[in-house]
Amino acid sequence: MLHEVVSSALQLPPLVYLAVVLSTILYMRARRRVRWHIPPLPCRPYPIVGHLPMLKDGFSKAIGKWRKSTGDIFSLYTGPKLMVVINSYALVKEAFIKHADVFSDRPESVIIKNTPFGDLGIIHSSGANWKEQRGVSFSILRSFGMGKNSLGEKINEEMSFFLQALSDLRGKPTDIHMLANASISNVICSILFGHRFEYDDPYFTKLIKLMDENMSLLRYYPLLTAFPWLKYIPGPDRYGAKKLLQNLQDTSNHFKYQLIKTTEDECGTDNFINAYYQEKRKREKAGNSTTLGDNNLLRVIGNLFVAGTETTGTALRWAMLLAIHYPDTQEKIYKEISDVIGAERTPVIEDKSHMNYTMAFIYEILRFACVAPYSLPHLCSENVEIAGYTIPKGTTVIANLYEILHDDETWGDPYAFRPERFLDKDQGVTVPEEFLPFSLGRRYCMGDSVAKMNLFLLVTGIFQRFEVRAEDPKNLPSLEPRLSAANSPQLYRLRLIERK
């Protein structure tokens, strides 16, 4: 990565050279922070670029290695910017719960600010705007049945289309990646817009492809955040900066089109958008100041798509992949389905309390695969002491969820796939407090309830109707994740054989 940056720099315009000089000055100022008792550095950073060249083989590999050598909390430099990585449950709890007020904001990102209304909505906003948008969104989602059977009915309605599409494959080897994402996105669409899309709808398929491509491009996010001027480098788009910004713009335009189309009837409350506008009018009529409005809504819609689609879609692909590698788990789930639900009745969310092994399988998928290996970045808003170290004001802090979910002391054999770890001696479900696949504190993922409901109903629905097999039983697909913003499985094909 470093040699590519250097060779590209030979073609830079004068303004970019100025940016490099300023970055150098900022780096030297940041290095003075070492006089603070900051968490230790795993190794000496390079000038200007910091530890970025050491991440060329993937952020996860480097961070995992540094956790073993440096400990549960350490510092690194992404370019001139200080970042602190927290690797243990106890310290994440101390930071994000005990010091919640200090770590509730997001750091500023030039990449996000260059996208339409990027620092609005929920995921990337801070302060009063974040509090109101998140509070209103949660309230609306709860009124639409988040975590209740009314939402389960929406999921089951969509699942009938999804299972039929899988049946139409006639057992042929298929990559269900885009089909699964489309099905899960349609659940979000039914909540946001009040209707679903056909899987071959051009508007819908473009939206799904844009979101999927964005997740892959976001692997360059640390580099582009440290050096946003890379997007000005002429020639090939080596770091995906231009493509990422264009994709985010196109995605926003897609949402904007649907937003205008959906809100023609502002009196109804059958979808999230109209309920949002109704709340906006109510607050304005009462004379209250509000951040509710078109631009924030546009970002909230995008946030809900990401929170509701990416985690679930990726986890479902892991579930199918691991069922191929561990066929005994698949048969245990099918037996539980047969005992509790039978072959004819559609699974409902109330079945969850009677299907302990199935829930243990889902929890183990979320732990083992760890779809979101790191929390989104938190901003340290004032100097604070954690574990005897000082985290200076303005520092970016992330929680290393992967290490927490693969900690030897908590899990014993963390790299083994073993659903039974979530069952007690009486075969009841038991979930350790260290299980936090959706992070912790005020900024935990707001899509967790929808994701868990979706996963339970999809897993039971698929295994009730199909046996999941490998394309080639003698050559199973890899369990190594591919590089993207999420911990995604490698692309693979499977065969779905209808049960008789």
Side-chain angles (χ1 to χ4, degrees):
M1 184 181 291
L2 179 60
H3 71 274
E4 291 180 355
V5 172
V6 173
S7 61
S8 299
L10 298 176
Q11 310 171 35
L12 300 179
L15 282 176
V16 176
Y17 286 110
L18 177 60
V20 173
V21 173
L22 291 175
S23 294
T24 305
I25 294 171
L26 289 172
Y27 173 78
M28 296 307 295
R29 291 179 62 188
R31 288 285 288 148
R32 294 192 192 115
R33 286 178 176 167
V34 174
R35 289 181 300 203
W36 292 84
H37 188 46
I38 66 170
L41 297 169
C43 54
R44 188 179 181 87
Y46 288 99
I48 302 177
V49 294
H51 291 92
L52 284 172
M54 305 168 199
L55 307 177
K56 61 183 179 180
D57 293 328
F59 195 77
S60 297
K61 289 184 179 179
I63 295 300
K65 181 176 69 175
W66 289 338
R67 192 266 173 109
K68 289 180 175 63
S69 65
T70 313
D72 288 342
I73 183 169
F74 58 80
S75 304
L76 57 87
Y77 285 95
T78 56
K81 297 178 181 179
L82 178 66
M83 174 185 287
V84 168
V85 182
I86 303 178
N87 303 282
S88 75
Y89 169 74
L91 294 185
V92 169
K93 186 177 180 180
E94 181 180 351
F96 294 170
I97 300 293
K98 182 180 177 181
H99 297 286
D101 290 338
V102 179
F103 292 105
S104 288
D105 287 345
R106 294 288 189 221
E108 183 178 281
S109 166
V110 175
I111 294 295
I112 296 299
K113 289 196 74 171
N114 280 344
T115 61
F117 322 119
D119 54 355
L120 298 181
I122 300 171
I123 291 180
H124 297 289
S125 68
S126 299
N129 187 87
W130 165 70
K131 289 179 181 178
E132 184 172 27
Q133 298 302 318
R134 185 180 175 95
V136 168
S137 299
F138 260 126
S139 178
I140 295 172
L141 290 173
R142 279 195 298 266
S143 72
F144 286 171
M146 184 171 69
K148 301 176 183 177
N149 196 48
S150 52
L151 178 57
E153 291 172 1
K154 288 182 181 292
I155 297 172
N156 278 336
E157 179 183 351
E158 180 58 39
M159 188 168 65
S160 66
F161 292 100
F162 178 55
L163 294 179
Q164 185 57 51
L166 296 181
S167 179
D168 291 342
L169 298 174
R170 307 297 181 194
K172 296 177 181 177
T174 308
D175 177 0
I176 66 166
H177 180 169
M178 298 306 292
L179 185 59
N181 276 12
S183 173
I184 294 161
S185 291
N186 253 337
V187 174
I188 308 301
C189 286
S190 68
I191 296 170
L192 295 176
F193 309 132
H195 64 85
R196 67 179 298 277
F197 293 90
E198 296 297 328
Y199 293 149
D200 59 355
D201 183 290
Y203 167 85
F204 185 56
T205 55
K206 181 179 179 183
L207 180 60
I208 300 300
K209 288 177 181 177
L210 282 171
M211 289 196 299
D212 188 68
E213 193 171 47
N214 287 348
M215 292 302 293
S216 178
L217 290 169
L218 282 171
R219 69 184 183 274
Y220 296 115
Y221 185 81
L223 182 66
L224 298 176
T225 298
F227 305 109
W229 45 264
L230 288 171
K231 65 178 180 288
Y232 298 115
I233 293 179
D237 189 18
R238 289 186 177 89
Y239 314 106
K242 299 169 190 175
K243 181 64 174 173
L244 177 60
L245 288 171
Q246 184 61 54
N247 274 18
L248 293 172
Q249 176 71 62
D250 290 345
T251 307
S252 177
N253 289 340
H254 250 54
F255 287 135
K256 197 168 188 178
Y257 168 76
Q258 189 61 35
L259 172 64
I260 295 169
K261 182 179 178 182
T262 306
T263 53
E264 293 175 356
D265 175 19
E266 294 190 355
C267 298
T269 57
D270 63 332
N271 60 63
F272 181 95
I273 292 172
N274 286 334
Y276 182 98
Y277 277 124
Q278 186 180 69
E279 182 63 25
K280 174 179 179 290
R281 291 191 294 271
K282 184 170 76 173
R283 297 188 180 203
E284 289 174 342
K285 187 176 181 180
N288 298 327
S289 175
T290 181
T291 63
L292 303 184
D294 291 353
N295 296 342
N296 257 310
L297 176 58
L298 192 63
R299 291 302 297 174
V300 168
I301 291 172
N303 295 162
L304 292 175
F305 258 99
V306 171
T309 299
E310 287 302 327
T311 299
T312 312
T314 304
L316 182 63
R317 297 198 306 277
W318 276 113
M320 298 300 101
L321 178 58
L322 286 161
I324 291 171
H325 277 263
Y326 300 92
D328 59 312
T329 63
Q330 185 178 171
E331 289 311 307
K332 288 179 182 178
I333 293 172
Y334 180 64
K335 182 180 185 308
E336 196 168 64
I337 291 171
S338 300
D339 292 343
V340 176
I341 302 172
E344 301 298 328
R345 178 172 68 81
T346 301
V348 293
I349 200 63
E350 286 88 353
D351 294 324
K352 183 172 69 170
S353 60
H354 305 291
M355 302 183 66
N356 292 346
Y357 187 83
T358 302
M359 288 309 303
F361 174 80
I362 290 170
Y363 288 141
E364 180 69 343
I365 292 291
L366 294 172
R367 186 205 67 82
F368 179 87
C370 192
V371 172
Y374 312 101
S375 71
L376 287 172
H378 293 240
L379 176 69
C380 182
S381 59
E382 60 184 66
N383 297 337
V384 67
E385 185 173 300
I386 301 289
Y389 299 105
T390 298
I391 301 180
K393 178 181 179 179
T395 301
T396 295
V397 176
I398 64 169
N400 186 350
L401 303 180
Y402 185 88
E403 285 295 316
I404 294 170
L405 292 173
H406 291 79
D407 183 76
D408 288 331
E409 291 186 14
T410 302
W411 307 103
D413 53 349
Y415 297 99
F417 181 75
R418 190 169 58 83
E420 289 78 8
R421 74 176 74 248
F422 288 98
L423 298 174
D424 60 24
K425 60 183 176 59
D426 298 318
Q427 298 305 296
V429 175
T430 177
V431 182
E433 63 177 338
E434 292 87 353
F435 179 70
L436 41 143
F438 300 97
S439 195
L440 188 69
R442 294 178 184 173
R443 303 297 303 233
Y444 78 95
C445 177
M446 65 180 296
D448 68 332
S449 294
V450 178
K452 289 174 185 175
M453 289 185 69
N454 249 320
L455 278 173
F456 172 75
L457 293 172
L458 284 167
V459 166
T460 52
I462 291 172
F463 289 165
Q464 180 189 48
R465 186 164 173 176
F466 301 98
E467 181 186 349
V468 182
R469 296 181 185 174
E471 178 182 15
D472 179 1
K474 296 181 180 179
N475 186 24
L476 298 182
S478 173
L479 289 176
E480 280 292 312
R482 64 184 175 124
L483 287 177
S484 73
N487 215 25
S488 303
Q490 301 282 343
L491 297 178
Y492 69 94
R493 301 203 302 176
L494 52 74
R495 297 174 63 220
L496 293 156
I497 308 301
E498 291 217 43
R499 298 184 186 272
K500 297 180 181 179

